[in-house]
């Protein structure tokens, strides 16, 4: 590895973000099941912008003030007071084109706000749905990268780690890393060998198990498909927009 | 998996321990390179007990009070004021038999004290050097398990994750788990396919890299060898003793 190349770090849980200096890095927020997949779908289908917020209350407040679409789930159900959930299938072009979506999620939004507070140089969101847009952007920028997994209540999960590994696998020749989490993620991705759904199933991944219990197999399959909503999602002034 | 079996959780960094309830669990403290390997070596070679302490100052204080062997490193060197380092080769039977060792390490000792504070039901230490003793104990106890990796300044590392995976691989038929870190660790261990040293080398594991830089290849090889100091190391009243 050449020592003049920019660095890649992988942060497997939001609770670990503080142990990395992210101020000179692009931070990729990863919440594969399902926040960053739904964000990609909405932007790909023409949403004007997405405002990520931490709480249902703030979601309702912003939604009522501006008349935008209010969405978010808690425990797998549309949260009380909101109109729509966190499934990518909701955000068709007919539904979302030119609209503003205010979205509350737990793990992903909190991580994004942590990255902002830690003064990330820039923030994008990533999922398998827009992996090529993410990888191409990272290659073009040629800056240090933090692949930041949203995990589940700070517990490391398979799908976000797999996505980090997939990105590393695509871009590693143009970066250097001295980060075991980065190596672990890439090994895991290679082990899945292109069969992400089956790998999650065989390993009884906790989120696979949880979402199957809600009858959401189609959501899982969508969120594990490469480039089905291939648009860059970049954070600017409180909003995620198509880059 | 049968739902009446005890649970296994894997905690990949000390910073994640607080997200798990450990009060009804056996906690296995893992610090493969090199604290828990050195502890296994010392107990296997007849040490009476090992007192793990956080700071060099406390190590010196206890050592001076009781006349025991004071050991510990900082940044790969014997810490100032101490007599011995953190290499398992130091603790031969001739040197350590019937003696008390007061040992200060950074990551492993801190994690052990965190597990104590969180009221772990019991605490043992584990490394490849005593993997059979650890696995046999866990099987015999038949209680919930937390495999707790010491990591490196809270950053997840290969070797502790690999050891967790090795233990899971041995005992999984007698436990259940709904913990992605457990699955990730076991997959990683299986991928290493018995060649732990080569796997660390090929992946340029950060600790491999660091210790090779100190000329400590023999230490790494020792610490990645199964059952070369196969004794149970259990924590009782402030001391680690052979179980």
């Amino acid at each position: 590895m050449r020592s003049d190349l920019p660095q890649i770090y992988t942060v497997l849980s939001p609770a670990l973000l503080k142990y990395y200096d992210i101020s000179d890095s692009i931070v990729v927020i990863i919440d594969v099941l399902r926040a960053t997949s739904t964000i990609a779908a909405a932007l790909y289908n023409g949403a004007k912008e997405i405002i990520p917020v931490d709480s249902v209350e703030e979601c309702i407040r912003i939604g009522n003030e501006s008349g935008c679409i209010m969405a978010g789930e808690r425990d797998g159900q549309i949260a009380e007071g909101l109109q729509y959930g966190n499934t990518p299938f909701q955000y068709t072009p007919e539904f979302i084109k030119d609209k503003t979506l205010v979205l509350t999620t737990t793990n992903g939004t909190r991580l994004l706000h942590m990255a902002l507070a830690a003064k990330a140089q820039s923030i994008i969101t990533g999922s398998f749905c827009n992996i090529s847009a993410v990888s191409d952007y990272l290659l073009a920028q040629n800056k240090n990268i933090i692949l930041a997994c949203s995990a589940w209540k700070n517990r490391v999960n398979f799908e976000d780690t797999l996505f980090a590994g997939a990105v590393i696998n695509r871009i590693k020749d143009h970066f250097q890393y001295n980060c075991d989490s980065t190596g672990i993620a890439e090994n895991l991705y290679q082990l899945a060998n292109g069969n992400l759904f089956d790998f999650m199933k065989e390993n009884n991944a906790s989120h696979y198990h949880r979402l199957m219990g809600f009858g959401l197999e189609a959501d899982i399959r969508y969120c594990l498909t490469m480039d089905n909503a291939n648009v860059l999602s970049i954070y600017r002034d409180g909003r995620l927009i198509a880059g």
Side-chain angles (χ1 to χ4, degrees), chain A residues 46-223:
Chain A
K48 181 185 164 201
E49 58 189 8
I50 297 165
I51 306 172
V53 298
D54 288 313
S55 69
V56 173
E57 293 68 29
E58 198 183 352
C59 193
I60 293 172
R61 185 182 63 75
I62 295 175
N64 284 339
E65 276 175 18
S66 60
C68 55
I69 295 171
M70 300 178 272
E73 295 185 6
R74 291 297 182 268
D75 298 320
Q77 303 293 322
I78 296 175
E80 201 177 324
L82 302 184
Q83 303 161 304
Y84 300 99
N86 191 19
T87 174
F89 296 117
Q90 178 65 51
Y91 302 94
T92 59
E94 298 71 32
F95 179 72
I96 199 65
K97 190 161 170 36
D98 298 328
K99 301 229 175 83
T100 294
L101 170 65
V102 53
L103 178 68
T104 176
T105 71
T106 39
N107 304 292
T109 309
R110 196 168 61 85
L111 179 57
L112 191 153
H113 289 153
M114 288 168 70
L116 271 179
K119 302 191 187 304
Q121 191 175 83
S122 61
I123 297 174
I124 64 174
T125 73
S127 71
F128 291 105
C129 302
N130 68 344
I131 186 169
S132 290
V134 167
S135 302
D136 292 347
Y137 178 79
L138 296 173
L139 287 168
Q141 294 290 311
N142 197 37
K143 291 179 180 160
N144 295 335
I145 298 168
I146 303 275
L147 299 171
C149 300
S150 296
W152 177 250
K153 297 180 180 175
N154 285 308
R155 296 182 180 192
V156 175
N157 70 26
F158 267 108
E159 64 275 14
D160 295 342
T161 307
L162 284 166
F163 176 71
V167 172
I168 296 155
N169 188 256
R170 288 189 177 210
I171 67 174
K172 64 182 175 184
D173 290 347
H174 304 272
F175 292 83
Q176 58 175 318
Y177 52 91
N178 179 19
C179 164
D180 286 8
S181 299
T182 295
I184 290 170
E186 207 222 341
N187 273 290
L188 196 73
Y189 173 70
Q190 289 198 25
L191 197 60
N193 196 24
N195 295 307
L196 296 166
F197 185 89
D198 290 346
F199 189 76
M200 294 278 286
K201 181 178 179 179
E202 284 158 17
N203 281 284
N204 195 29
S206 54
H207 243 129
Y208 169 88
H209 189 75
R210 182 169 168 272
L211 292 180
M212 289 296 278
F214 294 142
L216 294 170
E217 178 174 338
D219 279 48
I220 302 172
R221 289 191 181 277
Y222 182 94
C223 295

